[in-house]
Amino acid sequence: MLLKESRIKVSDNSDAKEVLCIHINKKKNRFSRTSLANFIKVTIKKRVSRRKNIKKRVNWCLVGATKRKIVRSSGESLRFSKPKVILVDDKKKKTMGSLVKGVLPREIVASYATDIISRARRLV
């Protein structure tokens, strides 16, 4: 679960290293949190010094992993050590980087982000 104002590591090879969560797309809950395969708005806080304009704008990203346990219908459970996100171009579901580092859970398939899934190394 990710809250507003939380700092998250980026798991693709775009120029960003760490982002700050600005807005979560849930409005009814007072203590809004987001979970796996949701889109959130972020701003970049740490970056690799390749591009200069990437730090001064608001970006969309897809939540790729959280610390919360994922329980599947087969009975197995899955948990990641750190939350990670993938930068996306304005909710068009295309990654800003060309490669997604690490593994992604199969539950991301439900978000209809086929471009992101094809660039991942493997699905768990």
Side-chain angles (χ1 to χ4, degrees):
M1 302 279 227
L2 298 174
L3 296 167
K4 235 179 192 183
E5 299 294 321
S6 59
R7 290 184 178 242
I8 315 155
K9 299 286 182 185
V10 178
S11 70
D12 61 353
N13 68 343
S14 61
D15 296 334
K17 283 186 176 181
E18 185 176 309
V19 294
L20 176 76
C21 180
I22 294 175
H23 179 71
I24 295 169
N25 291 334
K26 299 202 174 190
K27 295 180 181 176
K28 291 188 177 183
N29 193 356
R30 182 176 167 204
F31 300 105
S32 318
R33 300 177 198 145
T34 186
S35 58
L36 191 69
N38 287 339
F39 287 96
I40 60 174
K41 280 186 184 177
V42 296
T43 183
I44 296 172
K45 289 298 177 183
K46 288 186 183 176
R47 65 179 173 85
V48 180
S49 60
R50 287 188 220 153
R51 287 189 211 159
K52 299 198 183 226
N53 62 353
I54 195 170
K55 202 169 177 183
K56 296 180 180 178
R57 62 182 183 179
V58 176
N59 297 308
W60 284 95
C61 70
L62 178 77
V63 178
T66 56
K67 280 188 170 183
R68 186 175 175 159
K69 188 191 308 184
I70 302 166
V71 180
R72 295 183 172 156
S73 59
S74 63
E76 62 186 7
S77 63
L78 179 68
R79 182 179 290 171
F80 291 95
S81 61
K82 295 178 183 177
K84 59 184 177 181
V85 295
I86 303 157
L87 283 175
V88 177
D89 285 339
D90 295 328
K91 224 174 178 185
K92 292 178 185 173
K93 300 173 185 168
K94 292 189 177 183
T95 60
M96 290 179 77
S98 61
L99 171 69
V100 177
K101 300 173 189 172
V103 297
L104 292 176
R106 273 185 251 143
E107 285 77 15
I108 290 186
V109 177
S111 68
Y112 305 107
T114 55
D115 183 53
I116 296 168
I117 296 165
S118 65
R119 292 177 188 221
R121 288 189 181 174
R122 71 175 211 221
L123 296 174
V124 178

